[in-house]
């Protein structure tokens, strides 16, 4: 890990954001590749992995995004948390709006959300996971953008640690797309292709986030909190309900705790 951080410190941070989010996409592709080896997944394992995903996202939102956002904000007392509060609300409402407008399908709940659309369920399922990946790529990108902008509180180590944590929880997300697509009748190859495609938005969002922060440096605390708000919305609206859908609450809860502790430890030790 030290050598990777040293390499990322030696290159342009915008390029670093691209590489880091390409890594998170690659891990999604590895998860999607499970469709070549298995016909179905164990529901208990899947719910535990979904809980793990939620734990990582919540811990990343706190330690990697909200705390740095508050530390780099000016002012004292309540004024110091205003950028974080505003950014968090904007991020949550942004995802709330997308959730209501963008058509998408939840396989576990067997229901379509968003505006009515003639699109097939396969397309809608891919869009559902794509919604999850937008704030993840953005979160990594804005941290790298903070480094490019010379913000003392932003570090390559912190950005790389966040990318590692998001990569870990992207693995079950890849499985969560490709396996339902396979059950819908798609070939293994198409299920894999669309499973990995759902995360291609992460490098795009990562580079956009990094560039936005470098061009408008004062927005960094808002951007970090924005990504945190979007991720917390995803956890509460999508990840936890899906993990609890099959009455495996104990397994999902233990997965959440494990994911939270791992991400918290990674951020403190490496970031």
């Amino acid at each position: 890990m030290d050598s990777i951080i040293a390499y990322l410190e030696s290159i342009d941070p915008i390029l670093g954001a691209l590489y880091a989010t390409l890594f998170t996409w690659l891990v999604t592709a590895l998860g999607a590749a499970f469709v070549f080896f298995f016909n179905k997944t164990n529901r208990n394992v899947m719910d535990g992995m979904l809980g793990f995903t939620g734990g990582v996202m919540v811990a990343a939102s706190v330690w990697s995004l909200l705390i740095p956002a508050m530390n780099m904000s000016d002012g004292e007392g309540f004024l110091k948390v205003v950028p974080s509060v505003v950014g968090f609300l904007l991020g949550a409402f942004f995802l709330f709006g997308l959730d209501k407008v963008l058509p998408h399908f939840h396989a576990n709940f067997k229901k379509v959300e968003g505006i009515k659309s003639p699109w097939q369920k396969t397309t809608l399922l891919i869009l559902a996971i794509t919604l999850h990946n937008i704030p993840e790529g953005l979160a990594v990108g804005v941290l790298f953008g903070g480094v490019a902008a010379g913000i003392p509180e932003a570090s390559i180590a912190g950005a790389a640690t966040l990318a590692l944590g998001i990569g870990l929880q992207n693995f079950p997300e890849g499985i969560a797309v490709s396996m339902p697509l396979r059950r819908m009748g798609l070939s293994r190859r198409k299920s894999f292709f669309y499973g990995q495609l759902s995360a291609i938005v992460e490098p795009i969002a990562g580079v956009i986030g990094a560039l936005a922060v470098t061009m408008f440096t004062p927005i960094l605390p808002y951007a970090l909190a924005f990504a945190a708000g979007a991720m917390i919305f995803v956890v509460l609206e999508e990840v936890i309900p899906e993990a609890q859908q099959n009455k495996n609450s104990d397994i999902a809860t233990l997965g959440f705790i494990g994911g939270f502790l791992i991400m918290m430890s990674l951020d403190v030790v490496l970031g």
Side-chain angles (χ1 to χ4, degrees):
M1 187 68 179
D2 290 341
S3 60
I4 295 175
I5 293 174
Y7 172 71
L8 291 173
E9 288 174 340
S10 70
I11 63 176
D12 183 87
I14 306 299
L15 186 60
L18 176 62
Y19 287 165
T21 47
L22 283 173
F23 162 76
T24 61
W25 161 78
L26 177 62
V27 179
T28 306
L30 289 175
F34 259 50
V35 77
F36 290 116
F37 308 101
F38 301 97
N39 290 319
K40 61 180 180 179
T41 54
N42 183 286
R43 194 62 249 179
N44 290 339
V45 173
M46 207 52 223
D47 289 340
M49 294 175 81
L50 282 171
F52 177 87
T53 293
V56 169
M57 293 176 74
V58 171
S61 297
V62 176
W63 269 270
S64 298
L65 300 172
L66 287 174
I67 291 176
M70 287 184 280
N71 288 340
M72 66 181 63
S73 299
D74 296 326
E76 297 293 335
F78 181 74
L79 291 177
K80 192 171 182 64
V81 302
V82 167
S84 298
V85 172
V86 172
F88 189 93
L89 288 173
L90 289 174
F93 281 115
F94 174 72
L95 259 291
F96 176 81
L98 285 182
D99 188 67
K100 296 301 180 186
V101 173
L102 187 66
H104 57 286
F105 174 69
H106 296 282
N108 283 342
F109 295 107
K110 295 182 174 58
K111 68 176 182 178
V112 177
E113 293 184 349
I115 60 175
K116 292 183 178 180
S117 168
W119 297 341
Q120 295 182 345
K121 286 184 178 180
T122 52
T123 302
L124 298 176
L125 178 62
I126 296 164
L127 287 174
I129 304 299
T130 301
L131 276 175
H132 293 197
N133 292 324
I134 292 173
E136 295 168 7
L138 184 64
V140 175
V142 296
L143 275 178
F144 275 97
V147 175
I151 305 297
E153 290 84 359
S155 69
I156 291 294
T161 301
L162 178 60
L164 176 61
I166 288 176
L168 288 174
Q169 60 92 32
N170 271 5
F171 186 79
E173 283 191 3
I175 300 174
V177 184
S178 63
M179 296 305 252
L181 290 176
R182 177 62 176 161
R183 291 197 299 271
M184 289 178 186
L186 270 67
S187 68
R188 294 181 190 273
R189 183 174 298 179
K190 284 187 176 180
S191 297
F192 166 75
F193 175 76
Y194 291 122
Q196 61 80 32
L197 188 65
S198 66
I200 200 64
V201 70
E202 289 195 10
I204 298 171
V207 171
I208 290 174
L211 288 172
V213 169
T214 57
M215 290 187 288
F216 307 99
T217 303
I219 72 168
L220 180 57
Y222 294 92
L224 290 171
F226 180 96
M231 288 211 292
I232 294 295
F233 178 87
V234 167
V235 172
L236 295 176
E237 173 70 12
E238 313 286 358
V239 177
I240 291 179
E242 290 195 18
Q244 302 280 347
Q245 176 70 7
N246 296 284
K247 314 282 185 200
N248 293 322
S249 59
D250 291 343
I251 295 172
T253 300
L254 291 174
F256 183 96
I257 292 171
F260 188 95
L261 290 176
I262 288 174
M263 186 62 217
M264 179 184 69
S265 301
L266 285 174
D267 191 83
V268 173
V269 174
L270 300 177

